[in-house]
Amino acid sequence: MDILKIAEENQQRTWQIVEQSGVIPLWESIGATVYMVGSLRSGLLMKNRDIDIHIYTDQVSLAESFGVVQQLAERLFLRELTYRDLRDTEEECVEWHALHEDKEGKVCKLDMIHIRRGSKYDGVVEGVTEAIMEKLTPELRKTILQVKFEVPQGVSIPGIEIYHAVFTGGVRSYRELEEWRKRCPLTDSLGWRP
């Protein structure tokens, strides 16, 4: 099984959803600055098709946020859509979580976090993503993709925990990942850098 080929095909299909949906220009239409973060941005997307987007505006308007998501729902088949209003917390954001199902029945998860520009977490995840990309070698990329591939169906492990285990712990398999997570849990995913 060619891990790199599988990853590349899944990444291409996921980027097509980004392009065809126009999700970035939709958010930009309300004056937002949009950043791709996470596994799609870093080239570490494997089996699970995920689109992670951070959206920054000076104020987080529910009306504008709902308006963009409504337009997105008209362009994509969203099997499920949830949101969390965290504007009154230190996160100062609205989280949108959607499941898009394509014509073949394959699911892609969209996590769109609409954040107030200048808030506590402004740029934090972007910084983590960039740090991972800077330190990523072809060998480390292949190892991360292999470990992600070995994660059993139905088991959910945040990508950041896998990156931490590979970069910091020298983990090279799912079995080693399970042991590493017990011994060295990642307690501050936003504070860790490779």
Side-chain angles (χ1 to χ4, degrees):
M1 188 148 303
D2 187 343
I3 298 300
L4 295 177
K5 183 178 179 185
I6 294 169
E8 184 61 33
E9 288 172 2
N10 282 328
Q11 289 176 47
Q12 284 179 1
R13 286 190 193 114
T14 306
W15 277 114
Q16 286 173 352
I17 294 167
V18 171
E19 293 299 319
Q20 291 167 359
S21 69
V23 64
I24 294 173
L26 280 175
W27 285 107
E28 290 174 339
S29 74
I30 64 166
T33 304
V34 181
Y35 295 99
M36 295 292 297
V37 295
S39 62
L40 183 59
R41 167 84 172 95
S42 63
L44 295 171
L45 185 134
M46 184 61 218
K47 294 187 295 187
N48 300 321
R49 295 193 296 167
D50 295 322
I51 300 169
D52 296 301
I53 302 173
H54 281 194
I55 302 112
Y56 292 94
T57 53
D58 291 332
Q59 298 300 319
V60 179
S61 160
L62 276 185
E64 287 182 336
S65 206
F66 268 93
V68 169
V69 173
Q70 177 185 351
Q71 291 178 67
L72 187 62
E74 292 170 356
R75 296 178 182 197
L76 293 174
F77 178 62
L78 299 182
R79 174 68 70 188
E80 184 178 308
L81 177 65
T82 61
Y83 90 103
R84 294 180 65 206
D85 185 349
L86 301 173
R87 292 174 300 157
D88 64 344
T89 70
E90 68 178 2
E91 282 91 354
E92 297 188 60
C93 70
V94 173
E95 294 183 358
W96 292 98
H97 305 284
L99 297 179
H100 162 66
E101 188 174 313
D102 67 18
K103 294 174 184 171
E104 299 168 2
K106 294 186 178 176
V107 174
C108 178
K109 186 174 84 164
L110 287 91
D111 291 323
M112 299 169 286
I113 314 300
H114 185 179
I115 308 166
R116 186 184 67 77
R117 192 177 284 122
S119 63
K120 178 178 180 178
Y121 295 106
D122 184 341
V124 172
V125 174
E126 292 84 343
V128 173
T129 301
E130 291 301 318
I132 289 167
M133 291 172 61
E134 286 175 15
K135 302 279 185 179
L136 199 60
T137 64
E139 180 185 330
L140 285 171
R141 180 175 183 264
K142 188 171 183 180
T143 299
I144 289 168
L145 293 173
Q146 180 66 45
V147 172
K148 283 185 167 188
F149 183 79
E150 292 174 7
V151 173
Q153 193 69 25
V155 174
S156 179
I157 300 174
I160 193 74
E161 290 189 32
I162 295 172
Y163 312 151
H164 174 252
V166 171
F167 278 103
T168 306
V171 164
R172 297 295 180 253
S173 69
Y174 174 68
R175 184 176 47 77
E176 291 178 11
L177 174 64
E178 287 182 303
E179 294 169 13
W180 172 263
R181 290 179 76 212
K182 289 175 191 171
R183 286 191 330 268
C184 305
L186 180 60
T187 56
D188 181 13
S189 62
L190 294 178
W192 176 77
R193 299 282 192 282

